[in-house]
């Protein structure tokens, strides 16, 4: 086999892998959105057992289909006063089905990566690691149900989802190194890299603070019930720091976009990726302001959580792409 033939085959394999990896990453983000909807709608215990739902693989659609002791099942998990709600049950069940689809997609991604192990073993290592992590995530989901939706367990479950996103993005970025190598990031100030990392650190800090605010909201949900309008006034000073700091993050990322645009133009991958991240930051700020000023409407919570998760992923990909464009 000639070098040209091998190069062509590698290009085809890389393109195929990037396609399935991107589909998988988008699907994981969709699962994060569905999971956030489950939390915001209070459907987390719509199925009180796992992996079945009321002892069945297909959940009931009416109370008449429930076992006679279904209220005892709820009572054992601290939901003695909760009545069967078919909408919440099916929201939670669809969340689980989406998780199964994600598992299959990650399995296909890992399988596709095997063809690239001689080209870049880190693509295969990361893809297989993502498969192992999603298996653990499935088990962790069962522990979340068993813990009666403890806020700490929910947060751990969410952080694990972000870790899966990160490892998939790592594999995806490694598979597109050639794309970035063709767009070298050399026409930029030598002092830029230091400030670039400062901007990324500020964004990470904001997302981390948002995770803490989310735990506070979970705590208020457990202690004060569903009176959402009272949650904001009960939040401690940390919430206001998080809200104010968003302006710093917005300005820092706006500077990042302007620097990329001035150095590389609008058509460079780094410029477009940074611009996309800035747009998501704006969405996060708007949704966050809506939550803070309009009494925590449940319909906005999934949007805000998805935006925060996207910021994390886009930032990670931007960091990887910048390194590859610099030839690192």
């Amino acid at each position: 086999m000639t070098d040209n033939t091998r190069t062509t085959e590698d290009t085809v394999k890389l393109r195929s892998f990037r396609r399935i990896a991107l589909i998988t990453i988008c699907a994981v983000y969709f699962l994060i959105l569905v999971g956030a909807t489950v939390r915001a709608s209070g459907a987390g215990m719509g199925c009180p057992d796992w992996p079945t739902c009321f002892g069945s693989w297909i959940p009931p659609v009416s109370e008449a289909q429930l076992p006679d002791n279904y209220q005892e099942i709820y009572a054992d998990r601290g939901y003695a006063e909760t009545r069967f709600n078919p909408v919440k049950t099916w929201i939670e069940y669809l969340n689980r089905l989406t998780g199964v689809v994600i598992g299959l997609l990650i399995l296909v991604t890992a399988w596709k990566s095997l063809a690239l192990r001689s080209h870049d073993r880190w693509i295969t290592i990361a893809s297989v690691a993502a498969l192992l992590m999603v298996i653990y995530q499935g088990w962790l989901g069962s522990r979340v149900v068993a813990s009666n939706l403890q806020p700490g367990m929910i947060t751990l479950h969410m952080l694990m989802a972000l870790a899966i996103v990160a490892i998939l993005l790592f594999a995806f970025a490694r598979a597109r190194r050639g794309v970035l190598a063709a767009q070298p990031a050399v026409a930029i100030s030598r002092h830029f890299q230091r400030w670039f990392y400062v901007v990324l650190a500020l964004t990470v800090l904001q997302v981390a603070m948002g995770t803490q605010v989310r735990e506070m909201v979970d705590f208020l949900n457990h202690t004060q019930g569903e009176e959402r309008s009272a949650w904001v006034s009960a939040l401690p000073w940390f919430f206001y720091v998080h809200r104010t700091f968003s302006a710093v993050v917005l300005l820092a990322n706006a500077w990042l976009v302007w620097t990329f645009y001035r150095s590389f133009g609008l058509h460079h991958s780094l410029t477009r990726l940074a611009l996309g991240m800035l747009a998501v930051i704006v969405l996060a700020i708007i949704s966050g302001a809506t939550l803070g000023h309009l009494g925590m409407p449940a319909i906005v919570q999934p949007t805000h959580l998805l935006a925060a998760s996207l910021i994390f992923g886009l930032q990670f990909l931007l960091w990887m792409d910048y390194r590859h464009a610099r030839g690192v």
Side-chain angles (χ1 to χ4, degrees), residues 202-220:
L202 291 174
T203 310
V204 167
L205 179 60
Q206 176 70 347
V207 172
M209 285 194 292
T211 302
Q212 295 304 306
V213 172
R214 180 172 171 267
E215 280 218 15
M216 295 174 194
V217 171
D218 285 339
F219 174 76
L220 291 173

Side-chain angles (χ1 to χ4, degrees), residues 28 33 74 88 91 104 148 168 172 176 185 291 299 305:
V28 172
L33 177 63
Y74 271 118
K88 291 184 177 181
I91 288 175
L104 293 175
N148 196 10
L168 287 170
F172 177 72
R176 67 195 298 261
L291 289 170
I299 195 172
L305 180 60

Side-chain angles (χ1 to χ4, degrees), residues 42-199:
M45 291 298 289
C47 290
D49 49 336
W50 192 97
T52 57
C53 187
F54 291 107
S56 176
W57 290 106
I58 300 177
V61 294
S62 69
E63 195 167 358
Q65 295 177 288
L66 289 169
D68 294 337
N69 66 334
Y70 90 92
Q71 286 180 305
E72 295 177 15
I73 296 174
Y74 271 118
D76 288 342
R77 290 160 175 80
Y79 286 76
E81 303 301 321
T82 302
R83 303 290 296 180
F84 170 71
N85 185 318
V87 174
K88 291 184 177 181
T89 295
W90 275 88
I91 288 175
E92 166 59 15
Y93 189 69
L94 290 174
N95 178 46
R96 296 183 184 185
L97 289 181
T98 305
V100 172
V101 173
I102 298 298
L104 293 175
L105 283 172
I106 291 182
L107 178 61
V108 174
T109 302
W111 175 69
K112 283 278 190 180
S113 73
L114 295 177
L116 296 169
R117 60 187 181 277
S118 60
H119 174 79
D120 186 343
R121 64 190 179 94
W122 285 108
I123 296 176
T124 304
I125 291 172
S127 301
V128 173
L131 178 60
L132 296 176
M133 290 166 70
V134 83
I135 293 172
Y136 173 75
Q137 179 77 329
W139 174 83
L140 189 60
S142 70
R143 295 299 88 201
V144 171
V145 174
S147 73
N148 196 10
L149 305 181
Q150 288 298 314
M153 289 296 294
I154 294 174
T155 298
L156 179 60
H157 195 53
M158 177 63 191
L159 292 177
M160 193 64 194
L162 292 179
I164 292 171
V165 167
I167 200 73
L168 287 170
L169 283 170
F170 175 84
F172 177 72
R174 294 284 299 192
R176 67 195 298 261
R177 280 190 303 167
V179 176
L180 272 299
Q183 305 177 60
V186 293
I188 200 166
S189 169
R190 60 188 180 89
H191 301 294
F192 167 76
Q193 182 167 305
R194 180 189 312 160
W195 293 108
F196 173 55
Y197 287 129
V198 168
V199 173

Side-chain angles (χ1 to χ4, degrees), residues 178-188 263-264 268 270 322 324-327:
V179 176
L180 272 299
Q183 305 177 60
V186 293
I188 200 166
S263 302
F264 310 129
H268 197 284
L270 291 175
Y322 176 75
H324 294 156
R326 297 283 293 182

